[in-house]
Amino acid sequence: MSSKFYITTPIYYVNAKPHIGSAYTTIAADVLARWHRQKGDDVWFLTGTDEHGAKIAAAAEAAGKTAQEFADEIAKDFKQAWDVLNISYNDFIRTTEDRHKKVVTRFLNKLKDSGKIYEGEYEGLYCVGHEAFIKESDLVDGVCPDHKTKPEKVKEKNWFFKLSEYGNEIKNRIESKEFVIEPESRRNEVLSFIDQGLEDIAISRPNVTWGIPIPWDKSQTVYVWVDALCNYLSASTYWPADLHLVGKDIIKFHCIIWPALLEAIGEKWPRKVFAHGYFTVDGKKMSKSLGNVVDPIQVAEEYGADVLRYFILRDIPFGNDGDFSHERLKNRYNADLANGLGNLVSRTLNMIEKFWPDFDNSHIKPTAVDNMLTHAEAVLEKNAFDVSLAKIWDVIAWADLLIESSKPWELARKGDIDRLKEVLGQLFEALLGISKSITPFMPETHEKLTKLLAVRPLKKPNEPLFARK
Ligand code: MSP
């Protein structure tokens, strides 16, 4: 039965061009969206850009542009990157669009009507990098440990939301699994955070002009996280989201603040939040100052988008922290793709062309490998991309072994035609199965394979499946 599947990525800050970290969440979401479409589900895949707030205003100023000009440029860069990476989003929302501003304004009005907001004063520290208030106790040597910047001291009038009232409700729904947080470690993190007691939060900023005005108090703009979270409501007919895919750094916003805000206005909650880990690049934190920021477009141009998509999901178990290593990318490209899948395809088709020229591929189904591939699909339910790919690559190893042990060229020489045809038929079935299973991960490779496998009579491919530029 077809069901609805609404999946989101976080919307990305437009303070800098997309990097491999933003590509990570987006590629993972794309694989899930494509997989659900393949199953026949009614999929809505939403991504976009987070364009308001002090951080963007500062980046624009540093670039000598207006905030809108700057946001326009970077939003374009994101769209371009997602095109290069074959991201099949259904909608791309920008928080500076009118349709988004309308949703935010409506949301804020409902919040006001709920009676859960009040005017107050805040005195404390604000980290622009996080776009969040930060505690003195979070600082290391007086600076934010993530951004290495000194937080701003602020004393300001804000509109507050009574987040402190929602701890029990959130906890109950997490424990009853009505609201699912995965993996387990993140769920525990959220629960223990709730146990420490929730404080009310400011939902407006008086001194940030680059934002959406508070509808009843034009001297303030909507706090950028509240503004951003509302993007998920833009696809109202698909709400509630079935899955918010996020990085582990933003779970409090998605697992505590967001459900509480929704509860206050009587809206449904998302069903699940899955938080992936963070990765370093060649063992170091990725940062502009270290000059090791990986540009996903560059990697895709050198190796092909599918290679990046494969590597990033195969090498790091989704949910764990990991490392993006250029060396391992190259190794996997050579071993798993060029010499693994690429070689199997060219060897198999070569042998069929040579030993069985009138081979009829029109009625062949991937039955022999069905079981192995069913498992590869089942683990996608748990977002275990690495396991899924490993299972598919088990079929490649199985097919390689079949070639090595049966030696079709010797069967041909000896005239054992029955066994020869059996082996070549099984190899062809394996290719069909692999081609189907890699579809969500490697859409371009799937297309190339589909074309190759549909040709009759079969011909050895003219070009390798994976070629490095
Ligand atoms: N704008 C907010 C999200 C608002 S959603 C209502 C934001 N944007 S972000 O651009 O900073 O980050 C977006 C995503 O990129 C997060 O899921 C984050 O975890 C991910 N990553 C950024 N750097 C990363 C790594 N180095 N490694 C893995 N993911 C990383 O937060």
Side-chain angles (χ1 to χ4, degrees), residues 9-15 19-25 50 55 78 225 228-232 245-250 254 276-280 286:
T9 71
I11 48 171
Y12 301 101
Y13 285 128
V14 291
N15 60 318
H19 54 63
I20 203 79
S22 24
Y24 189 43
T25 327
D50 189 353
K55 175 156 147 160
F78 272 92
W225 264 101
L229 286 162
C230 287
N231 95 86
Y232 299 136
L245 217 55
V246 300
K248 66 172 186 180
D249 53 324
I250 53 178
H254 285 83
H276 64 70
Y278 242 60
F279 51 76
T280 45
M286 183 167 57

Side-chain angles (χ1 to χ4, degrees), residues 345-346 349-350 352-353 452 455-462:
V345 171
S346 77
L349 298 186
N350 193 20
I352 293 178
E353 185 184 19
L452 283 175
V455 171
R456 257 180 300 154
L458 285 183
K459 286 206 164 38
K460 184 181 194 284
N462 291 328

